[in-house]
């Protein structure tokens, strides 16, 4: 599909050139049919297909113009469809890969990781993979179209094509240069706000009884509003920064078109040639401006989605050590005694923040043992270590003299 897309990208540009080229004979045949016969190339084509009368020429040129427009439309629609399908399939592959990798992380990783961050990666960030890929292909498509249109316009009027290209390029490069930091900053704020909002939603609806009983409704509503309103304002600001250049450049195009109209009228004696040139330039500019604007839009979109893509790629490139799959083949029976010797553990490998330190304990088969203590002293951590869901920094746990770990948990 990627190969088909690249072929269609180049085909789109070529067909836009053909479509633009078909405008010239169409406008000339409407204003002065006889002038077409003075063109040696067109005259040879008409003779080749035995087209002689003005009516036949009019019908032929009109049908060619319509055919070029329809063919270009079909290829553009096909390209759009394949782009969307390709982006969706790649997004699905990324989504399954990220889900698989996060599930295969060890228990300590999950305990140290905020669940709202994981869910945000698997929902919001992974959703941005498709639009990011689509934006890349759109940039390639619109670049191919823009180059083809500029070639066509250069053939009609080199000075006008060069002037339009310089105006559009300089305008969008300057706008992109000055707006890049703002767009990226807004995107970063949006991602961070989404993650915090997701955490608030998880806490609110998971602990809804406690929230109601402790009268915490207004507190959560206030926290939600402090994040949601700025997030939406920044999204609206980014949308404005992406959209506004088109309207400015449309006005510049109209001014340029008026100037060229005056210039052509005052320097060219043939009104038919003036109409054909102006009409071709008008249609070319009408296609060229949206192409440049789309390139700018998609460039801005890649900046918006880049942080999401970076987060996803960090997960994919990270260590995928599998530690949480039980292996019944290597399991064995407890017959005599469990010995826990010098067991120590810290979640952050910080010696000043040790949860369990030098725990020594023997449990014989048939004994009943209770583990008591205040919240946060390490009861659950001790059980997780006992089940080999966590790896101790020091010490060992042995069952009947055999140390237990992930391989035989």
């Amino acid at each position: 599909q990627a190969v088909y897309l690249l072929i269609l990208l180049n085909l789109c540009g070529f067909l836009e050139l053909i479509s633009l080229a078909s405008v010239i004979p169409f406008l000339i045949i409407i204003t002065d049919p006889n002038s077409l016969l003075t063109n040696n190339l067109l005259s040879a084509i008409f003779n080749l297909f035995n087209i002689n009368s003005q009516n036949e020429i009019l019908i032929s040129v009109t049908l060619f113009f319509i055919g070029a427009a329809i063919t270009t439309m079909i290829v553009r629609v096909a390209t759009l469809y394949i782009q969307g399908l390709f982006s969706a399939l790649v997004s699905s592959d990324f989504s399954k890969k990220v889900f698989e990798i996060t599930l295969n992380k060890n228990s300590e990783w999950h305990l140290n990781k905020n669940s709202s961050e994981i869910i945000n990666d698997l929902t919001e960030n992974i959703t941005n993979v498709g639009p990011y890929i689509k934006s890349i292909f759109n940039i390639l498509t619109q670049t191919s179209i823009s180059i083809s249109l500029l070639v066509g316009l250069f053939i009609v009027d080199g000075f006008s094509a060069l002037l339009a290209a310089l105006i559009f390029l300089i305008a969008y490069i300057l706008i992109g240069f000055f707006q890049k930091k703002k767009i990226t900053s807004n995107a970063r704020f949006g991602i961070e706000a989404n993650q915090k909002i997701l955490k608030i939603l998880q806490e609110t609806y998971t602990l809804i009884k406690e929230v109601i009983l402790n009268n915490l409704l207004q507190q959560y509503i206030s926290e939600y509003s402090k994040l949601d309103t700025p997030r939406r304002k920044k999204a609206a600001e980014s949308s404005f920064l992406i959209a506004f250049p088109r309207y400015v450049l449309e006005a510049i195009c109209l001014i340029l078109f008026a100037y060229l109209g005056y210039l052509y009228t005052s320097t060219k004696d043939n009104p038919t040639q003036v109409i054909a040139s102006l009409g071709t330039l008008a249609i070319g500019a009408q296609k060229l401006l949206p192409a440049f604007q789309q390139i700018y839009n998609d460039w801005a979109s890649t900046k918006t989605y880049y942080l999401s893509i970076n987060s996803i790629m960090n997960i994919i490139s990270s260590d995928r050590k599998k530690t949480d799959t039980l292996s019944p083949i290597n399991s064995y029976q407890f017959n005599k005694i469990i010995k826990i010797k010098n067991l120590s553990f810290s979640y952050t490998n910080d010696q000043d923040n040790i949860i369990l330190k030098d725990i020594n304990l023997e449990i014989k088969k048939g004994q009943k043992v209770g583990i008591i203590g205040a919240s946060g002293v390490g009861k659950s951590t001790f059980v997780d270590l006992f089940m080999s869901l966590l790896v101790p920094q020091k010490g060992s746990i042995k069952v009947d003299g055999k140390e237990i770990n992930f391989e035989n948990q």
Side-chain angles (χ1 to χ4, degrees):
Q1 286 183 338
V3 174
Y4 292 149
L5 266 178
L6 292 175
I7 293 173
L8 286 173
L9 295 183
N10 293 302
L11 186 58
C12 279
F14 176 74
L15 289 175
E16 286 290 351
L17 178 59
I18 297 299
S19 178
L20 181 63
S22 67
V23 173
I24 299 175
F26 180 71
L27 292 176
I28 293 177
I29 196 68
I30 292 175
T31 55
D32 187 7
N34 293 324
S35 62
L36 277 181
L37 299 176
T38 61
N39 186 294
N40 294 330
L41 177 60
L42 293 177
S43 180
I45 294 174
F46 294 147
N47 290 331
L48 179 64
F49 291 98
N50 196 26
I51 300 172
N52 300 313
S53 67
Q54 287 187 2
N55 188 51
E56 289 177 340
I57 293 174
L58 177 60
I59 293 173
S60 300
V61 171
T62 303
L63 290 176
F64 179 76
F65 179 76
I66 294 173
I70 292 174
T71 304
T72 303
M73 177 270 294
I74 292 172
V75 175
R76 291 289 297 275
V77 170
T79 304
L80 183 64
Y81 174 77
I82 295 177
Q83 277 183 357
L85 182 61
F86 181 79
S87 300
L89 292 175
V90 173
S91 296
S92 178
D93 288 340
F94 270 83
S95 181
K96 287 183 286 187
K97 182 67 69 175
V98 171
F99 185 56
E100 176 189 355
I101 291 172
T102 53
L103 278 183
N104 283 321
K105 292 288 187 181
N106 57 42
S107 296
E108 186 174 352
W109 183 88
H110 283 282
L111 289 171
N112 289 325
K113 194 79 169 178
N114 194 316
S115 61
S116 62
E117 185 177 343
I118 299 173
I119 294 172
N120 191 57
D121 281 330
L122 289 168
T123 53
E124 185 72 22
N125 289 342
I126 204 69
T127 300
N128 291 334
V129 171
Y132 181 84
I133 295 172
K134 196 171 181 180
S135 294
I136 296 295
F137 278 108
N138 277 340
I139 290 173
L140 295 176
T141 302
Q142 299 302 328
T143 300
S144 176
I145 290 172
S146 298
I147 292 173
S148 298
L149 290 172
L150 286 171
V151 169
L153 291 175
F154 191 82
I155 293 172
V156 176
D157 189 327
F159 170 76
S160 301
L162 184 61
L163 183 61
L166 287 175
I167 290 174
F168 289 163
L169 281 173
I170 292 173
Y172 279 112
I173 288 173
L174 288 176
I175 292 170
F177 177 78
F178 287 109
Q179 303 299 343
K180 180 175 71 172
K181 288 185 179 180
K182 190 62 177 177
I183 292 172
T184 304
S185 173
N186 288 348
R188 181 179 289 107
F189 181 87
I191 291 173
E192 293 174 353
N194 285 337
Q195 183 179 323
K196 292 176 182 178
I197 286 174
L198 186 59
K199 182 180 179 181
I200 291 173
L201 294 175
Q202 284 181 299
E203 291 178 355
T204 304
Y205 290 107
T206 302
L207 306 172
I208 188 63
K209 291 182 180 179
E210 288 79 1
V211 171
I212 295 173
L213 291 173
N214 291 289
N215 197 26
L216 298 175
L217 292 172
Q218 290 302 319
Q219 177 182 327
Y220 278 104
I221 291 172
S222 176
E223 291 178 3
Y224 183 91
S225 299
K226 287 178 181 178
L227 291 168
D228 187 65
T229 301
R231 176 189 63 161
R232 298 188 185 278
K233 284 184 177 180
K234 289 185 179 295
E237 182 182 29
S238 293
S239 297
F240 168 76
L241 294 176
I242 292 172
F244 89 89
R246 175 172 183 170
Y247 302 104
V248 175
L249 288 171
E250 278 181 353
I252 294 175
C253 278
L254 290 174
I255 295 171
L256 178 62
F257 186 72
Y259 168 73
L260 291 175
Y262 169 77
L263 186 65
Y264 284 172
T265 304
S266 60
T267 58
K268 292 185 179 182
D269 297 329
N270 189 345
T272 301
Q273 188 63 39
V274 172
I275 293 174
S277 297
L278 284 177
T280 305
L281 289 172
I283 293 176
Q286 185 267 338
K287 289 175 174 286
L288 190 61
L289 178 57
F292 271 86
Q293 178 65 31
Q294 191 63 50
I295 291 172
Y296 174 73
N297 285 357
D298 289 307
W299 170 83
S301 295
T302 59
K303 293 298 178 185
T304 301
Y305 301 135
Y306 173 75
L307 295 174
S308 296
I309 303 303
N310 190 51
S311 179
I312 296 300
M313 294 307 298
N314 285 338
I315 295 175
I316 292 176
S317 61
S318 65
D319 178 26
R320 292 182 291 171
K321 184 179 179 182
K322 296 183 178 182
T323 60
D324 288 354
T325 303
L326 294 175
S327 179
I329 296 176
N330 296 325
S331 62
Y332 54 90
Q333 296 295 321
F334 167 41
N335 296 314
K336 294 181 181 179
I337 190 170
I338 298 173
K339 290 186 177 181
I340 300 171
K341 186 176 181 180
N342 298 327
L343 188 69
S344 299
F345 178 80
S346 171
Y347 283 107
T348 59
N349 289 322
D350 183 1
Q351 296 300 316
D352 296 328
N353 190 28
I354 296 176
I355 306 299
L356 299 171
K357 183 176 182 180
D358 295 330
I359 303 298
N360 291 280
L361 179 65
E362 292 186 359
I363 304 173
K364 295 180 180 179
K365 186 174 182 179
Q367 276 187 319
K368 295 181 179 179
V369 178
I371 301 173
I372 61 175
S375 176
V377 297
K379 301 185 297 298
S380 299
T381 301
F382 177 79
V383 175
D384 288 341
L385 286 165
F386 188 77
M387 292 188 295
S388 295
L389 294 176
L390 298 175
V391 180
Q393 274 83 40
K394 177 185 172 185
S396 63
I397 302 174
K398 294 182 178 180
V399 178
D400 296 333
K402 186 173 183 180
E403 186 170 354
I404 63 172
N405 49 47
F406 172 72
E407 298 298 328
N408 58 20
Q409 61 182 327

